[in-house]
Amino acid sequence: MNDKNMTPALEISDLQAWYGESHVLHGVNMRVMPGEVVTLLGRNGAGRTSTMRAIMGLTGARKGSIKVNGVETIDMPTHRIAHLGLGYCPEERGIFASLSCEENLMLPPDLKTGTPGMSVAEIYEMFPNLAERKHSQGTRLSGGEQQMLAVARILRTGAKLLLLDEISEGLAPVIVQALARMIVSLRAKGYTVVMVEQNFRFAAPLADRLYVMEHGQIVEQFGADELEAKMPLLNTLLGV
Ligand SMILES: Nc1ncnc2c1ncn2[C@@H]1O[C@H](COP(=O)(O)OP(=O)(O)O)[C@@H](O)[C@H]1O
Ligand SMILES: [Mg+2]
């Protein structure tokens, strides 16, 4: 993981992004190695969701460089970026309410990324709750089940680089613990994870490295081993 010669799974250099006239990212730099779990912290409005959307080509204009496994994507449309093996789980989970849990799992296309997506059987092994609820309608699932389904759906596509936006938001502590176990298990399976979080206590223990964003820029980055020393600074930046 510390091999300097390894190609990063994601390398963002001087990324700027706009929504129409509104300039929201002002030179973001990030580098994520294959198999790493990285968290992107920041206060509301810091630009974390915009960073994920910019990676997926979902903002307006973008400038700078975003390399996925060494491939430049700054001029690519969203569908081509996704085919490089990126899976984006947005804040709004997008579960189809009228479909059953299992039907939601059957929807995603195989992105043909070179690694096949997880089978439904593998998904049920990883998320036993979803197996129990497979015939339940989307609207009948709890918030935690919907969140697991949203992540599971991405795993079906064969994506290996996961962009997860505030997955713990609004969920009960016991569900947040289950999500933490899910992240640990994804890491063990070799997935690369970028997590946007407000919930510092959830994200910090899971992350190999932490980034802090403010006003559309990265203002701090450090490894898990420096977390304790950085706590006073994080307190100032995030109020944690
Ligand atoms: N669709 C949009 N159009 C215009 N401005 C937006 C849009 N979405 C977000 N912004 C602005 O971009 C900035 C960053 O927002 P966002 O990326 O959502 O922050 P975070 O996810 O860290 O809370 C904020 O000032 C926000 O108001
Ligand atoms: Mg956000």
Side-chain angles (χ1 to χ4, degrees), residues 5-26:
N5 298 320
M6 212 180 204
T7 306
L10 180 66
E11 187 164 32
I12 302 178
S13 314
D14 195 25
L15 174 64
Q16 307 204 39
W18 289 259
Y19 289 111
E21 302 273 283
S22 175
H23 191 179
V24 292
L25 300 181
H26 301 270

Side-chain angles (χ1 to χ4, degrees), residues 48-128:
R48 298 158 306 156
T49 295
S50 301
T51 301
M52 296 209 153
R53 292 180 56 85
I55 293 167
M56 296 307 297
L58 291 168
T59 55
R62 301 178 298 162
K63 253 174 65 181
S65 168
I66 304 173
K67 288 185 181 164
V68 176
N69 298 319
V71 177
E72 182 58 69
T73 66
I74 198 74
D75 292 319
M76 282 187 190
T78 300
H79 71 275
R80 282 192 57 211
I81 298 171
H83 276 271
L84 296 173
L86 265 76
Y88 172 45
C89 187
E91 274 177 286
E92 59 287 356
R93 298 166 189 137
I95 302 303
F96 289 94
S98 61
L99 299 182
S100 72
C101 176
E102 185 150 294
E103 284 165 340
N104 269 280
L105 281 176
M106 299 310 283
L107 283 178
D110 186 334
L111 287 176
K112 311 245 177 344
T113 57
T115 35
M118 275 191 199
S119 66
V120 172
E122 284 172 296
I123 294 287
Y124 287 156
E125 197 183 317
M126 191 164 175
F127 305 93

Side-chain angles (χ1 to χ4, degrees), residues 172-190:
V174 57
I175 308 297
V176 174
Q177 282 167 25
L179 292 174
R181 286 195 297 276
M182 171 190 81
I183 299 290
V184 169
S185 130
L186 289 172
R187 191 216 319 256
K189 290 178 196 289

Side-chain angles (χ1 to χ4, degrees), residues 43-50 88 91 165-166 169 196 198:
R43 291 181 190 267
N44 261 335
R48 298 158 306 156
T49 295
S50 301
Y88 172 45
E91 274 177 286
D165 200 346
E166 305 242 29
E169 195 184 11
V196 160
Q198 191 90 299

